Structures are given as structure tokens and as C-alpha cells.
Amino acid sequence: MSSDTALAVAGTASGDFDVDALRREEFPWADRVVYLDHASIGPLPERTRRRLDDYNRVRAEAYRLADEHMFGVFGRSRTLVAELIGAAPSEIALATNTSAGINLAAQAIPLEPGDIILVSHGEFPANVFPWREQSRRGAVLELVPLGPDGWPDESRLLARLEDPRVKILALSLVQFHTGYLADIGRLGAAARATGTWFVLDAIQGLGQEPFDVARTPVDILACGAQKWLLSPWGSGFTYIRSDLIERLEPTTVGWTAFQGTDDFGTLTGYPSGWRHDARRFEVITLPFQDFAGMNASLELLSELGIDAIARHLRRLTQPLVAWAQGRGVRLASPTGAQGTGIVSLALPDAARVHAELKARGVVVSLREGLIRVSPHCYNTADEVTRLIELLDRTV
């Protein structure tokens, strides 16, 4: 629990949180604009801004810095991340963004010429380009076409896993432009059964959807924290399943990656043994202040509960889905089990609609020709109603 005052949680059967208190205490600017673009950039809660300010105030007077400000912050980060995804802190390597984790997997997983890396079409480039570069090592990137609805064709992915040449399956937990939530349990089980490495880009899922690596088989998971985790730029992490850590050697070497480097008095002994935990993959110095901020945000999300956030987002997005269906607007996002807090609309002249919404104080995204709406924990039904009223005028 954060040292900041915990938000009051409403005593309802669902355990949902007090949105009014959340806005008042953590997002006081939210009454000035309707911000529905968390799949792009998450704002910083007030407690996170204060934590950053406090840290930088100490950093400005370097003589005040203590171990708790530096490696203590990182230790807290690994603990909070582990709690978020059901992992052990020893399975967490801190990183500055999602790409760091995807590149770690792409470069460290052993591949031979002719090995196939399976990726769904429609993935964000951060989960395509690192794999494409492995063609220089003779591996083959296979982009599996999307299904007829416009999201990953899981049946085809499962069928391709039967090919013994497929060594890696790389996928997003939630697709960035449609909000499609993959069936990671089914895909992960199939990958495990065929000996295929399963690498997950989780940046669009964690913070809005509950996910537990203890129940869902994933080998490596990469996540930047600047979107749904409401954290500063430059904060993120990679999860590596414990029994795989010592099978992988880092391709980029950090000075703290080796056993014995905790003792700053004997650093020129240059120890040669890798750490036995995921810290062997960390390249530091990482931005201490950003991870201090991330810790504050993760503490807030823990107080609210990811399950409660997911329920809140489904309530918020239901009227928008109903509006689209009633107006004959094509939904580019799934409903039901595969739906998330991202709802994308295929509107005519979407660029104009996007610009007009922004001019009227409603911030959404334009992605792949779609209007992408992505509310978060502090957004309200009234804000979604405002969006729908403007869409009625502009469509």
C-alpha cells in the first residue's frame, strides 16, 4: 500500500471504487476535458506526480540520496509488477519500454536457419520489426493473415503451431487498434504442448484487464507502463518464466547483471557468473525517478483492483457499442469475451471526425483509419454520453 492516502472503496457487492473520489484526488484536471485515449498515453495520477516531484527534489541535492532512493526503488518495482501479473519478483527484469523486452526475446531465444517466428498480422510494429530482423540469422517471419472480422485468426495460429519448424509465437494480449483480447490460455497451452516459445506484448492489456502468468502459460512478457499503467515514460518491465531464465544469455550486458556486483567495494574483481534471476537482463542505470513514479501508479491500481477496473470499463463502453449498433456504424472491436476497454469505430471520414472531437474537448485516437476510444478507471458515463452526442452531430 502506498504511503499516500488510499482511496475509499465503495462497499458494494462488486467492490467497485468511488469514481468521484478518484477524480477529485488523483485526476483533478479531468473536468476540463474528456480524455478517452489511454491506449495512447496514460495521464499521471496526482500521487505519481508528487512522487516524481519528491524524488527529483532529493535528486537535485545528491548528498541526500540513499540506497532506498535507488536500488530500493527497483526492488519495490519488481515486487509490485510481480503482484500485478502473478509472478515472482525474481522473474521480473525492469526495462524502459515494451520494445526492450521484445528485443530481448528476439535476440536471446536460440534460433536456427529455417526456424519460423509466427506473428499475427495487425500487430503493432514494436512486435514485428524485432522479429523481422531475425531473417538475418536465417529465421523466417511468418505473418498470419487476420480473420474475417479483422482480428487475429486464432484457429489458424493454433494450426500453424503443429508445424515443428515454428519455434516462436509472438502476439499481443490486446490488439492496439481493435481492442481484441486474445485467448492466451488456449494459445499458451498449445505453445507449451508443442515446445514453442510464447512471447506476449502486454502493453495494451495490463492495467485494464486482469492477467496472471501463474494460470496462463507465457514464456516472456514485455510491457511499457506509460499507457494503462498510468506511469511515466521510461518505465516498464519484462517477465521471464523462472525455468527459462538460465537458458537465455543476455545479448546486451549491464554491469549489474553478474553475481557479486551488489558489493560496490569490490567491483574491479569483475565477476563472471550471471545472476540466477531476471536481473541478468537489466541494463542500468535505469531512470530511478520514473520507476518511483511507476510504483505510485501501481499502488493506486492495486487499491482499485484490476477486476473492478475491467468491470467499470465494460459498463462505460456498453452505451457506445449500443449507439454504433443502433446507427449502423461498423464496430471494429469485438464484444463479449474478447472485448476490452478499447472500442474502435469504422466511421466515414474518420480523420475529420477525430479533429472535430478534439476541437470540442473530447480526446480519442485515430488508428488504422478507425476512431479508437479507450476510457480508464476515472472516466464517467456522462463523459461517454458527451462523446456519443458529438458523434451524432458529426457522423
Side-chain angles (χ1 to χ4, degrees):
M1 184 67 68
S2 167
S3 59
D4 297 278
T5 302
L7 288 166
V9 176
T12 63
S14 64
D16 291 343
F17 45 85
D18 185 335
V19 176
D20 289 338
L22 179 62
R23 290 169 70 87
R24 182 173 61 252
E25 296 177 22
E26 301 291 355
F27 304 95
W29 52 267
D31 290 335
R32 301 196 300 270
V33 65
V34 178
Y35 189 77
L36 303 169
D37 198 15
H38 299 84
S40 293
I41 303 172
L44 299 181
E46 278 295 288
R47 70 174 66 188
T48 303
R49 183 191 60 77
R50 290 194 299 269
R51 191 77 62 87
L52 288 166
D53 289 348
D54 291 345
Y55 192 101
N56 284 321
R57 194 171 293 114
V58 172
R59 172 67 180 89
E61 301 172 356
Y63 69 91
R64 297 174 59 193
L65 288 169
D67 285 347
E68 67 185 78
H69 293 115
M70 295 181 286
F71 294 100
V73 164
F74 289 167
R76 178 65 174 157
S77 296
R78 296 187 198 97
T79 296
L80 289 167
V81 168
E83 291 172 353
L84 175 72
I85 65 172
S90 61
E91 297 175 302
I92 304 301
L94 301 179
T96 54
N97 51 43
T98 306
S99 292
I102 300 297
N103 276 282
L104 185 161
Q107 295 170 22
I109 293 175
L111 291 170
E112 300 291 337
D115 287 347
I116 294 174
I117 303 163
L118 204 62
V119 180
S120 174
H121 207 286
E123 284 285 314
F124 193 76
N127 200 27
V128 175
F129 293 163
W131 304 112
R132 189 176 66 185
E133 287 300 298
Q134 296 314 302
S135 61
R136 298 181 182 180
R137 294 162 58 185
V140 178
L141 172 63
E142 181 179 327
L143 285 173
V144 176
L146 295 172
D149 292 321
W151 36 81
D153 189 338
E154 293 187 5
S155 296
R156 188 163 178 177
L157 290 170
L158 289 166
R160 290 297 295 123
L161 288 178
E162 298 297 325
D163 186 336
R165 296 174 299 167
V166 174
K167 301 301 181 184
I168 297 173
L169 170 62
L171 194 67
S172 288
L173 173 59
V174 172
Q175 292 293 309
F176 81 100
H177 60 296
T178 64
Y180 176 87
L181 175 65
D183 188 344
I184 301 303
R186 183 171 66 147
L187 291 164
R192 187 68 54 86
T194 56
T196 305
W197 291 79
F198 190 17
V199 180
L200 196 65
D201 176 344
I203 192 171
Q204 291 292 2
L206 297 184
Q208 66 144 324
E209 286 290 327
F211 190 74
D212 188 342
V213 298
R215 295 200 301 259
T216 307
V218 173
D219 296 320
I220 297 175
L221 177 152
C223 185
Q226 75 273 18
K227 297 181 187 288
W228 299 93
L229 296 179
L230 305 175
S231 297
W233 288 304
S235 60
F237 60 90
T238 305
Y239 157 83
I240 305 99
R241 187 160 56 89
S242 60
D243 56 340
L244 301 176
I245 289 172
E246 297 198 45
R247 289 176 55 186
L248 300 174
E249 287 200 3
T251 56
T252 302
V253 179
W255 70 270
T256 63
F258 296 90
Q259 299 182 64
T261 50
D262 291 327
D263 184 354
F264 290 1
T266 60
L267 292 176
T268 57
Y270 306 127
S272 58
W274 295 109
R275 290 188 185 271
H276 300 301
D277 61 20
R279 286 179 295 168
R280 66 167 59 190
F281 302 107
E282 291 182 353
V283 180
I284 65 172
T285 299
L286 293 164
F288 293 106
Q289 72 282 355
D290 294 330
F291 283 92
M294 184 184 80
N295 293 350
S297 292
L298 292 182
E299 288 160 358
L300 170 62
L301 294 173
S302 176
E303 290 170 18
L304 301 178
I306 304 301
D307 288 300
I309 292 172
R311 287 192 298 271
H312 178 67
L313 297 185
R314 279 164 172 74
R315 287 194 295 269
L316 286 183
T317 55
Q318 282 173 358
L320 182 60
V321 169
W323 173 85
Q325 293 169 337
R327 287 290 302 267
V329 172
R330 182 175 71 84
L331 275 170
S333 300
T335 56
Q338 274 70 52
T340 64
I342 297 175
V343 175
S344 294
L345 307 171
L347 296 171
D349 201 2
R352 175 187 59 82
V353 174
H354 176 256
E356 291 188 11
L357 289 173
K358 186 174 182 179
R360 288 168 171 77
V362 176
V363 181
V364 296
S365 295
L366 181 65
R367 292 292 185 273
E368 306 299 300
L370 305 170
I371 295 294
R372 184 182 68 181
V373 182
S374 51
H376 209 330
C377 52
Y378 64 92
N379 288 119
T380 66
D382 287 344
E383 291 179 310
V384 176
T385 298
R386 172 63 175 160
L387 168 66
I388 291 171
E389 291 172 347
L390 290 176
L391 287 173
D392 266 329
R393 300 177 194 171
T394 57
V395 173

